[in-house]
């Protein structure tokens, strides 16, 4: 085990079987060692800086029916909303003075957000806040569409691959969604020049150490600039309502491995991690994460973007309470910085 961890630290690469071994045979000692090395590596590149991103949930209207997701099209109990361009801009106006220099526009696959509408919002944000980055997370679109969004000024795009195992992918999604298209989208985003983010849920139904090993190999080979890894948490109105949630322990273990695979990756300590453990965010940072994404959406609409039950949106998860988040990060030896926080090429 120790040899494998040293090999990973040195080569930033293991075989799929070795990744699987690292997961299956994990114990407190391997977790401690991985976290220690992940923190060292992260400190060399990012010091103790923690980047903040203002998350604006622009629409919970979605044409898709991902089996795990609370805003899936066929969830009739979800009260739908979408933000206007003015509302999105005023979220940025609120976030800028709080120190946010990245705005993440995330939403379901809502046809209202055509290329024209998104491009116009992106260029308005970039005009008003030229020192800020705009990240989009609006699901699968065509190459041409992504290119237009990039040309309008969007800097980054998050599209979790969800799982790097085709059979597993089909167990999490209906027939009309395809693994092939998800991967094609990710390749297109990279080709166009976006700082691209992939990622997956930990503990999703049918996930195994073998599928996780494939996720790690995929990350090693795809070389994303960002990677979102958070626990799966069940939502009562989905097919997976009675499935078990992922654990903080395995999520943190994987965060450390991903940091060692890609030392300069932008790695969030996710909202889902904070939602299943009151110290989840801190535990993520102490495992090698270097980003947090507090919620900047209009307060009264936050509970409607319910991807899973008990999703946090208040307290230190709220952008308005960035002071609390600062304090919490300082208490573990890290500091929130007012920077765009781009991926550092090394
Ligand atoms: N529609 C866009 C897309 O597909 O990338 C962005 C929005 S989607 C709701 C954002 C992410 O939420 C998904 O990639 C998924 O990993 C995560 N998510 C959805 N349901 C979840 C659940 N029950 N538990 C944890 N994460 C969940």
């Amino acid at each position: 085990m120790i040899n494998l961890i040293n090999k990973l630290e040195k080569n930033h690469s293991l075989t799929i079987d070795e990744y699987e071994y690292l997961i299956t045979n994990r114990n407190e000692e391997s977790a401690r060692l991985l976290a220690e090395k992940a923190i060292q590596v992260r400190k060399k590149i990012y010091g103790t800086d923690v980047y903040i991103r203002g998350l604006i949930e622009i629409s919970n209207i979605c044409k898709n029916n991902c089996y795990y997701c609370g805003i899936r099209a066929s969830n009739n109990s979800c009260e739908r909303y979408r933000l206007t361009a003015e509302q999105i801009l005023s979220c940025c106006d609120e976030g800028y003075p709080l120190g946010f220099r990245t705005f993440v526009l995330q939403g379901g696959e809502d046809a209202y957000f055509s290329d024209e509408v998104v491009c116009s919002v992106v260029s308005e944000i970039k005009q008003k806040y030229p020192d800020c980055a705009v990240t989009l997370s609006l699901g699968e679109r065509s190459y041409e569409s992504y290119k237009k969004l990039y040309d309008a000024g969007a800097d980054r795009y998050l599209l979790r691959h969800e799982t790097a195992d085709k059979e597993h992918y089909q167990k999490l999604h209906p027939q009309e969604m395809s693994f092939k298209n998800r991967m094609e989208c990710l390749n297109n985003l990279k080709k166009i020049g976006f700082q691209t983010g992939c990622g997956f849920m930990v503990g999703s139904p049918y996930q195994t150490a073998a599928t996780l090993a494939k996720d790690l190999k995929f990350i090693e080979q795809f070389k994303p600039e960002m990677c979102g890894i958070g626990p799966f948490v069940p939502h009562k109105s989905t097919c997976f309502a009675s499935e078990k949630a992922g654990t903080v322990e395995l999520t943190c273990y994987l965060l450390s491995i991903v940091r060692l695979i890609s030392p300069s990756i932008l790695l969030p300590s996710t909202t889902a991690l904070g939602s299943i453990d009151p110290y989840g965010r801190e535990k993520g940072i102490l495992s090698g994460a270097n980003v947090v994404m507090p919620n900047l959406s209009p307060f009264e609409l936050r509970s409607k973007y319910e991807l899973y039950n008990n999703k946090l949106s208040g307290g230190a998860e709220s952008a308005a309470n960035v002071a609390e988040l600062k304090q919490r990060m300082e208490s573990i030896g890290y500091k929130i910085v007012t920077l765009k926080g781009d991926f550092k090429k090394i």
Side-chain angles (χ1 to χ4, degrees), residues 62 68-71 106-109 137-139 158-160 162 182 201 231-235 272 305 307-308:
C62 190
Y68 45 83
C69 187
I71 63 167
Q106 190 187 84
E109 291 194 19
S137 178
L138 301 172
L158 294 173
L159 184 77
R160 289 185 175 183
E162 312 296 0
R182 196 84 179 169
M201 294 175 288
F232 158 75
V233 187
H235 184 288
Y305 198 81
L307 306 181
Y308 45 85

Side-chain angles (χ1 to χ4, degrees), residues 129-145:
Y129 298 111
D131 54 336
C132 290
V134 173
T135 304
L136 298 176
S137 178
L138 301 172
E140 298 176 20
R141 305 171 79 103
S142 66
Y143 180 94
E144 292 68 32
S145 167

Side-chain angles (χ1 to χ4, degrees), residues 59-63 71 78 80-82 107-111 305:
S59 171
N60 70 354
I61 298 168
C62 190
K63 72 171 173 54
I71 63 167
C78 173
R80 306 288 169 174
Y81 75 88
R82 77 164 61 97
E109 291 194 19
D110 176 356
Y305 198 81

